[in-house]
Amino acid sequence: MQTISADIVIIGSGVGGSAVAHQLAGSGAKILILERGDFLPNEPQNSDAEAVFVQSRYKTRDEWVDARGARYRPGQYYYVGGHTKFYGTAMFRFRASDFEATEMGGVPSPAWPVRYDELASHYTAAERLYGVRGKAGSDPTEPPRAAFPHAAIPHEPTIAALSDRLSAQGLRPFHMPSAVDYGPGGTCQRCGTCDAFACQFDAKGDAETRVLRPLLAHPDVRLERGAEVTRLIADDRGHDIIAAEVRRDGEMQRVEAPVFVLSAGAINSALILLRSASQVMPDGLANRSGVVGRNLMNHHLTGLMGVKPFALNETKFPKTLSVNDFYHGLPDDSEARGNIQMLGNIQGAMIRATYPATPKALANWLGRHSVDVLAMSEDLPNPDSRVRLLDGDKVEVDYRPGGTLAHDRFVRHVKRVLRRAGFPVVLRHGFGIQAPSHQCGTVRMGHDPASSALDALCRAHDHPNLYVVDAGFFPSSAALNPALTIAAQALRVGAHLRATRVT
Ligand SMILES: Cc1cc2nc3c(=O)[nH]c(=O)nc-3n(C[C@H](O)[C@H](O)[C@H](O)COP(=O)(O)OP(=O)(O)OC[C@H]3O[C@@H](n4cnc5c(N)ncnc54)[C@H](O)[C@@H]3O)c2cc1C
C-alpha cells in the first residue's frame, strides 16, 4: 500500500474543510485535502431542471437504507466544494438565543459550548469570504452585528409586492442575506436557476469558487480528488490518529499526518468514525460517549407554493426576502416557531420529479403562477435518530425528527399569512431525510466528554490530534440555514490550529 504524508490532512472540501484550509494556507504547513469527488463539470445541464431533478444527474449513485430497510439514493452531492455547489446561498447567522439551552414539549435542546459573542468575529470573516449581501438592522431577531460586506440584493417586482403585503399584516419582512455575486460588475446572469442547481457562471458563493480555488494556487495546499477516506487509524493505545486509509481508483493508500481534520459532512464523518472501530475502540473513534452517529437532525423544511391563477411570476432571483417575526413563536403558541424565506423558482420538472403523476402542462403552469416559500423549524436532537453501519458497510439512516407537530402548526400559520397576502391557493410539500440537505448533530460538541464527542474547538475529547468541522458538530439545529455557522466555527478552529499546531 502506497504511503504519503502531510502536516495537516483535511478530509472533505465542503464549507468546514475549506474554511480550515483557508486559515492554514501560508502557514508553512503542508496541507493535504482529500476529497472523494471531482470538480463539478461546467455544462448546460447545471441549470436544466430535467437533468438535475428528473434524471438526478449529480446525485450520488450510492444507496442507503431507511429504518424499514428500504433502499434509496440519498440527495448527497460529492464534488469539490461539497453541498454548497447546489445550495441556495442563504447565509444566516444563528441568533444569540440559538446557542442557549431550550426545550420543546419537554425535549431538551442543549446549549452550545460556544456563545454567539465568541463566534461573531468569525461570522464577519465568513461573510466576507463568501461575499454575503444583506442589510443589517432589518431583521428583528438579528444578533449584534456590523454592516454586511455588500448591499442587499433588491427585490424584483413580485417579491417587492409580497413584502408590502406582509408589512401590511404588521410583519417585518427583511432582505435575506445571500452569497451571490449579483449586481453591477457581478457574474450573476439572473438565469433563474440557483437553489438546488449548480451555477455555470461561478456567481454562487460556494466553497469551491470563493474559498478553495484561490487556495489551490498556493504551493503548500494540495487537493487530491477521487480520494475517498474509508477509515482513520489510531495508535495502539487508541489515543492519537496516525493515518487515514484512502480508496483511489480502486487502490488503497495510507496517508499519515500529525493532525487530521475530518469534514466529510455530518453523516459521512460519523460513518468514517464508526467504520474506524478497532479492538481498542470497539464503538469507533471519538466515541467513548456513544454519541457518534446519534442526534441526527435535518430541520423541519416545508415548501409552500402560493398560487395566484391570473398572475404570472417572472421573478429571476426570488431569494431576497425572509420573515423572522415568528422565530421565537406565534403569539399564542410559543412552540410553533421558525423562519420563513423564499425558495428558488420551482419549475414544472421539479414538481414532476416528486409527483410524477402531475401532468406536465399543469406542473409548468403551477411553476409560473406561484411564489415559493420555505418554512423552517428547529429539529430536536434525539439519541435514537441515528446513522449506523449494518452488515459490514450498509449505511442505515434511522431519522427521527423532533418537534413535528409544532412545525405543522407553524406551517398552517404560514399558509394563513400567504392567503392573507393574496394567494388563494397554497400547496405544501415537506422535504424529508431522503435529501438530508441540513444534516447536522452526529458528532456533537460539548463541554462534557460523557455526552459529547468534541470540545468547544471541535477537537475530539478522545484524540488530541483529531478535529471534526462539518455540521456534525452542531449540538442543536436552530431554525436557520447552517452553512454560515459551519464556516464561522471552522474558521475559528482553523485559527486555533494555526496558532497552536503549526510551527
Ligand atoms: C439543495 C441544497 C440547498 C441548500 N441551501 C442552503 C442555503 O441556502 N443556505 C445554507 O446555509 N445551507 C444550505 N444547504 C446546506 C449546506 O449546503 C450544507 O449545510 C453545507 O454545505 C454542509 O457543509 P459541510 O462542510 O458540513 O459538508 P459537505 O458540504 O457535505 O462537505 C463534505 C465534503 O466531504 C466530501 N466527502 C464525503 N465523504 C468523504 C470521504 N469518505 N472521503 C473524502 N471526502 C468525502 C464530500 O464530497 C464533500 O465535498 C443546502 C443544501 C442543499 C443540498
Side-chain angles (χ1 to χ4, degrees):
M1 190 189 288
Q2 190 196 1
T3 300
I4 53 177
S5 60
D7 294 326
I8 298 192
V9 166
I10 297 173
I11 300 159
S13 66
V15 179
S18 61
V20 169
H22 171 83
Q23 296 294 53
L24 293 171
S27 65
K30 299 263 180 244
I31 298 150
L32 176 60
I33 304 169
L34 299 171
E35 165 57 52
R36 70 174 277 178
D38 203 341
F39 290 113
L40 185 85
N42 184 301
E43 54 187 14
Q45 289 92 333
N46 292 164
S47 46
D48 176 349
E50 201 74 29
V52 176
F53 292 94
V54 180
Q55 294 156 15
S56 300
R57 182 177 179 84
Y58 301 107
K59 237 167 55 165
T60 180
R61 302 214 161 261
D62 286 0
E63 285 190 335
W64 292 349
V65 297
D66 65 17
R68 293 185 312 260
R71 295 153 75 96
Y72 66 100
R73 241 177 103 190
Q76 288 278 112
Y77 299 91
Y78 299 136
Y79 296 96
V80 175
H83 284 95
T84 58
K85 293 308 290 181
F86 291 87
Y87 87 146
T89 75
M91 284 298 237
F92 278 96
R93 296 181 183 210
F94 281 3
R95 317 293 89 166
S97 58
D98 290 327
F99 297 88
E100 309 294 335
T102 56
E103 61 100 42
M104 187 184 287
V107 180
S109 172
W112 289 45
V114 40
R115 291 292 182 274
Y116 173 76
D117 291 350
E118 293 164 86
L119 267 192
S121 64
H122 304 286
Y123 269 126
T124 304
E127 285 171 348
R128 232 180 280 128
L129 200 51
Y130 279 86
V132 179
R133 283 151 207 272
K135 187 174 178 201
S138 59
D139 173 353
T141 61
E142 168 181 274
R145 59 158 304 128
F148 281 87
H150 304 281
I153 302 171
H155 297 315
E156 292 181 46
T158 300
I159 308 302
L162 172 61
S163 179
D164 290 345
R165 285 193 292 267
L166 295 173
S167 299
Q169 294 180 35
L171 301 176
R172 293 160 293 175
F174 60 93
H175 285 273
M176 179 151 81
S178 177
V180 176
D181 187 14
Y182 183 98
T187 45
C188 178
Q189 307 289 309
R190 301 181 68 249
C191 67
T193 59
C194 197
D195 200 353
F197 291 88
C199 181
Q200 270 181 281
F201 311 105
D202 284 346
K204 185 183 280 199
D206 64 54
E208 186 224 340
T209 309
R210 298 287 307 193
V211 189
L212 272 182
R213 211 177 285 170
L215 298 182
L216 296 182
H218 204 287
D220 287 339
V221 180
R222 189 166 137 206
L223 170 70
E224 289 290 340
R225 295 168 277 138
E228 182 184 0
V229 172
T230 50
R231 63 190 192 107
L232 297 170
I233 299 164
D235 62 17
D236 291 345
R237 294 174 303 143
H239 190 252
D240 286 331
I241 308 303
I242 53 172
E245 215 171 71
V246 183
R247 186 161 37 218
R248 283 200 77 178
D249 301 328
E251 305 271 310
M252 297 310 287
Q253 283 182 346
R254 183 180 162 100
V255 177
E256 298 178 345
V259 179
F260 288 84
V261 178
L262 181 56
S263 191
I267 292 178
N268 278 307
S269 283
L271 293 172
I272 290 170
L273 294 171
L274 294 172
R275 201 181 286 119
S276 305
S278 64
Q279 269 188 341
V280 189
M281 312 290 280
D283 297 324
L285 294 178
N287 200 21
R288 266 185 230 275
S289 61
V291 298
V292 172
R294 295 181 180 270
N295 300 299
L296 170 67
M297 297 170 279
N298 190 47
H299 281 149
H300 297 279
L301 298 168
T302 299
L304 295 158
M305 290 185 94
V307 183
K308 210 185 241 187
F310 301 109
L312 199 60
N313 181 1
E314 293 182 303
T315 309
K316 291 290 187 192
F317 188 78
K319 291 179 68 91
T320 54
L321 179 86
S322 183
V323 173
N324 266 339
D325 292 272
F326 311 118
Y327 197 78
H328 299 296
L330 303 181
D332 55 350
D333 184 351
S334 63
E335 294 192 342
R337 60 192 185 221
N339 162 267
I340 305 169
Q341 60 183 258
M342 301 308 297
L343 277 170
N345 287 321
I346 300 293
Q347 300 184 26
M350 296 154 93
I351 297 170
R352 284 186 294 112
T354 313
Y355 301 100
T358 315
K360 194 170 182 175
L362 174 63
N364 290 344
W365 182 89
L366 280 170
R368 286 196 305 269
H369 291 83
S370 62
V371 299
D372 310 305
V373 167
L374 182 67
M376 185 184 316
S377 302
E378 179 172 359
D379 188 4
L380 297 168
N382 172 358
D384 294 329
S385 178
R386 63 191 293 197
V387 293
R388 62 182 151 191
L389 294 164
L390 302 176
D391 313 332
D393 212 37
K394 196 201 290 178
V395 175
E396 183 199 64
V397 177
D398 180 358
Y399 172 57
R400 305 187 188 192
T404 308
L405 294 177
H407 175 67
D408 189 59
R409 298 199 297 280
F410 174 55
V411 170
R412 278 189 268 135
H413 186 76
V414 180
K415 279 182 91 166
R416 283 194 290 274
V417 167
L418 286 173
R419 280 201 208 98
R420 281 200 290 266
F423 298 94
V425 179
V426 182
L427 306 173
R428 65 181 275 184
H429 167 75
F431 298 99
I433 196 67
Q434 305 247 335
S437 55
H438 289 193
Q439 59 187 269
C440 62
T442 47
V443 196
R444 58 154 57 162
M445 59 177 181
H447 290 303
D448 184 359
S451 58
S452 60
L454 310 172
D455 70 11
L457 279 160
C458 290
R459 182 160 75 157
H461 292 299
D462 301 341
H463 314 287
N465 67 337
L466 174 65
Y467 296 76
V468 183
V469 298
D470 52 51
F473 68 71
F474 284 27
S476 65
S477 68
L480 288 165
N481 318 59
L484 195 73
T485 299
I486 304 168
Q489 170 70 355
L491 287 174
R492 179 170 174 262
V493 173
H496 163 78
L497 282 170
R498 187 167 183 139
T500 59
R501 291 288 186 155
V502 177
T503 46

